[in-house]
Each structure stands twice: as C-alpha cells, then as structure tokens.
C-alpha cells in the first residue's frame, strides 16, 4: 500500500499514517515545495520536522536526518521492529507520543540539545529498561514513561537544573511536579518525594503492585489518571493540603475500599473514583465542585455529607445514596 501526496499539499497535522502497518511507501515528488520522503520517513523541510516513520518498515535501526529539529507527535508510534534510533544534535523537541509503542527499545540515550519531551513520549515501550536524559532537558510533559514495566533506571547528572530521580520517581523540581513513578523500581508501599506539590497526570498509572501510598502535606493537586488502574491500592488517606482530585485520578482502582478526604479539598473532578469498590465516603464541606461519574461503580457508595453542603445537593441531583453527618 502506498499514498501519493500532491505538490499542492501545504500542511500535515500530527501523524496521519499512524497505525497503518501495511503502508510501505509515501510518494512525494522531488520538486515538492515542503515535504520529502526517504528511508521510511516523511519530513517537513520547511519546519525541520519529522512527521512520521512508517510502522510497516522492516528495519531495526534508523538514524534521523541531520537538520531535523523536532520529532512530530506519534511520529514513530507502533514501530515495533525498531530497536534503536539515533537522533542528531539538531533535535530539540520530542512531541507527544512520538515513540509510543516502540516495543523493541531496550535503552534510550537522548543527545545533549533536546530541550522538550512531550507527554507519553515513550508510553507502551514495554521492553525499555534504561533512559539517559540530557542536562539540556527542561520541559517534560505528562508521564513520558507510562506503561513501561521494565524501566528500572533513569540517568541524570547530579546537578541537573530541573529534574530529580529518586526512589524510582522522576520529579520536575522547578514545577514541583512528580512526573513519573517506575513500577519496576517500586515496592508495595511508596512515599511521595518531599517538596512535590502536584502529582502529575498518569504519574502512577497502572502501578498494580502499589498497595500503600503516603502523600506529604506539600501536595495540593492530584492529576488526571494519576493513580488509575492501581488495582492493589486498598486505602487512600489524603492530607488537608490537597485541593483538587483530577479527572479519573483513582479510576478503576478495583481494590480501593476506603478513602479519607482532607479538609482542604475543593474539587473532585469527573470520574475520580470510577470503577472503585467504595461502600461509603465522607465528603468535606470544603468541596464546591464534583464532576460527572465521580463515584460511578456497580454499587454506588453512600456519600456522608454535611447538611446544606454542595455534596448533599450533588447527591440529590445524581440520585446517589447519602447520609447527613455532623
């Protein structure tokens, strides 16, 4: 299968050929004013960007052409045959999901000069065991290493300006954000690094062996999907400092039966406890926002609410069982 791109084509967004394993060729004329195709890769010469690498290309190693400055979103998604990619010093940006699903990777060493690593950049690279991050890297999106069960080591210089790797957790120190927790380095009980204010989106996603988490008083925000599918979690105690529980932050934690919410909590976002097994949960009066499906499960829990509180009004509107408590 092949696709012919006309000379009139002016713009390509994302990777339009992601998950097209049967595609072997993209035909681009040598006179095209903007795009070029060679060696399995489609590039944007105007923006110095690699748009995509065809996942059906049977090659284990690939060298990104010199002069490329950014690897586009989902560019190498699902390229399972690849075991090694060499990036030139010109590359400064890795966009969202650009190497997601490259299951043949075992080690990654990013060159000095890479400044940005997008969200879920290496998500689903199930063979990945080690990553070497450069001193130049200052911007990191949502958990770039989500669903990398074999990843044990992230190497950084001790004097890295914004990143810290400690106790199997990667933290962005400028943002005071916990970026990622590596399941392969994690015990069943984890204490979040001191100084973290935000548990980032997807940070603990799918950490099934986790059954106890200690959250310090510095934490104010729990990100979207941050603990989703942590099926070993049985109980959560949130400190009073936590103000926001993000979308689906504890969704599908099927072992979770007890939750204690802190007195400073303001928002429980959409699907927060979706698919859990709670029988009851006390909602503090400080809560002023609860999203749809926040407590959606086979047998909805009883909400323990203060008389006249927002939570009581929410329970009535959603037809959820509740009890008034003092």
């Amino acid at each position: 299968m092949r696709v012919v791109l006309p000379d009139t084509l002016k713009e390509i967004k994302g990777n339009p050929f992601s998950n097209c394993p049967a595609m072997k060729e993209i035909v681009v004329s040598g006179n095209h004013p903007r795009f070029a195709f060679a060696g399995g890769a489609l590039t944007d010469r105007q923006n110095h960007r690699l748009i995509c690498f065809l996942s059906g290309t049977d090659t284990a190693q690939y060298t990104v052409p010199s002069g490329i400055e950014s690897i586009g979103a989902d560019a190498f998604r699902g390229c399972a045959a690849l075991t090694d990619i060499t990036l030139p010093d010109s590359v400064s940006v890795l966009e969202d999901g650009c190497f997601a699903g490259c299951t043949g990777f075992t080690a990654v060493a990013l060159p000095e000069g890479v400044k940005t690593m997008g969200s879920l950049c290496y998500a689903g690279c199930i063979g990945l065991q080690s990553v070497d991050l450069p001193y130049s890297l200052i911007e990191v999106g949502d958990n770039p290493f989500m669903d990398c069960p074999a990843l044990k080591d992230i190497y950084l210089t001790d004097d890295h300006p914004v990143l810290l790797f400690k106790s199997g957790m990667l933290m962005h120190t400028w943002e005071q954000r916990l970026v990622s927790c590596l399941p392969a380095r994690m015990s069943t009980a984890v204490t979040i690094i001191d100084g973290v204010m935000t548990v980032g989106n997807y940070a603990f996603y799918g950490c099934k062996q986790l059954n106890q988490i200690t959250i310090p008083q510095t934490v104010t925000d729990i990100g979207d999907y941050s603990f989703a599918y942590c099926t070993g979690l049985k109980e959560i105690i949130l400190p009073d400092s936590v103000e926001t529980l993000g979308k689906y932050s504890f969704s599908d934690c099927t072992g979770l039966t007890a939750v204690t919410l802190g007195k400073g909590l303001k928002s429980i976002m959409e699907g927060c406890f979706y698919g859990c097994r709670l029988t009851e949960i006390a909602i503090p009066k400080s809560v002023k926002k609860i999203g749809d499906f926040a407590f959606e499960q086979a047998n909805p829990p009883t909400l323990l609410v203060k008389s006249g509180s927002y939570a009581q009004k929410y329970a009535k509107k959603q037809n959820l069982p509740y009890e008034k408590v003092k």
Side-chain angles (χ1 to χ4, degrees):
M1 178 181 175
R2 69 176 190 167
V3 169
V4 179
L5 302 184
D7 287 353
T8 54
L9 184 63
K10 296 181 179 180
E11 183 179 9
I12 296 176
K13 295 183 178 180
N15 178 1
F17 309 114
S18 178
N19 297 318
C20 294
M23 186 176 293
K24 301 295 182 182
E25 183 181 12
I26 299 174
V27 180
V28 184
S29 76
N31 297 321
H32 201 289
R34 183 164 179 176
F35 303 113
F37 180 77
L42 178 67
T43 57
D44 181 338
R45 292 181 296 202
Q46 180 176 312
N47 291 323
H48 308 285
R49 180 171 178 263
L50 192 150
I51 298 170
C52 73
F53 184 86
L54 297 184
S55 60
T57 303
D58 297 325
T59 181
Q61 298 180 327
Y62 178 73
T63 298
V64 173
S66 179
I68 292 294
E69 296 176 359
S70 62
I71 307 299
D74 301 314
F76 288 87
R77 178 177 287 275
C79 291
L82 283 173
T83 59
D84 182 62
I85 290 180
T86 301
L87 300 178
D89 293 341
S90 56
V91 171
S92 62
V93 177
L94 305 180
E95 296 183 19
D96 296 350
C98 60
F99 295 112
C102 290
T103 56
F105 287 178
T106 57
V108 167
L110 298 182
E112 208 49 61
V114 174
K115 297 179 180 179
T116 301
M117 177 185 288
S119 297
L120 309 180
C121 195
Y122 289 91
C125 292
I126 58 175
L128 187 61
Q129 298 175 28
S130 68
V131 174
D132 196 324
L133 300 180
Y135 186 87
S136 57
L137 184 63
I138 58 173
E139 184 178 351
V140 180
D142 299 335
N143 190 354
F145 309 114
M146 188 190 84
D147 194 21
C148 292
L151 183 57
K152 294 182 179 180
D153 294 300
I154 297 178
Y155 297 108
L156 301 165
T157 59
D158 292 337
D159 61 344
H160 198 287
V162 301
L163 296 176
L164 170 69
F165 183 64
K166 181 180 179 182
S167 303
M169 287 173 274
L170 181 66
M171 177 184 176
H172 196 294
T173 56
W174 277 8
E175 298 176 359
Q176 296 177 289
R177 173 172 59 98
L178 181 67
V179 175
S180 180
C181 185
L182 307 187
R185 287 285 298 273
M186 189 174 57
S187 65
T188 57
V190 171
T191 298
I192 289 176
I193 303 171
D194 287 338
V196 168
M197 289 187 67
T198 300
V199 179
N201 298 341
Y202 303 98
F204 289 86
Y205 184 99
C207 292
K208 296 180 180 180
Q209 73 268 42
L210 182 65
N211 61 37
Q212 182 180 339
I213 182 78
T214 301
I215 301 173
Q217 287 284 348
T218 54
V219 173
T220 60
D221 295 286
I222 306 291
D224 298 347
Y225 296 92
S226 53
F227 292 96
Y229 291 95
C230 290
T231 54
L233 273 177
K234 295 177 175 59
E235 181 181 10
I236 290 290
I237 299 175
L238 297 175
D240 293 343
S241 59
V242 173
E243 298 180 356
T244 302
L245 298 179
K247 294 179 180 178
Y248 296 92
S249 51
F250 292 95
S251 62
D252 294 288
C253 292
T254 53
L256 189 60
T257 58
V259 172
T260 301
L261 302 178
K263 296 177 182 178
L265 188 62
K266 297 178 181 178
S267 300
I268 301 173
M269 304 304 286
E270 176 186 335
C272 181
F273 297 104
Y274 183 98
C276 297
R277 295 181 180 178
L278 303 174
T279 56
E280 65 178 26
I281 181 170
I283 312 296
K285 198 169 184 178
S286 57
V287 171
K288 302 300 180 185
K289 181 177 182 179
I290 303 176
D292 293 338
F293 314 114
F295 306 100
E296 185 79 13
Q297 56 185 58
N299 296 301
T302 298
L303 305 189
L304 307 180
V305 302
K306 301 289 186 180
S307 180
S309 66
Y310 175 86
Q312 182 183 8
K313 296 174 184 176
Y314 174 86
K316 285 182 177 180
K317 183 178 179 180
Q318 299 293 325
N319 197 28
L320 292 173
Y322 72 91
E323 292 181 9
K324 290 187 287 185
V325 295
K326 295 183 179 180

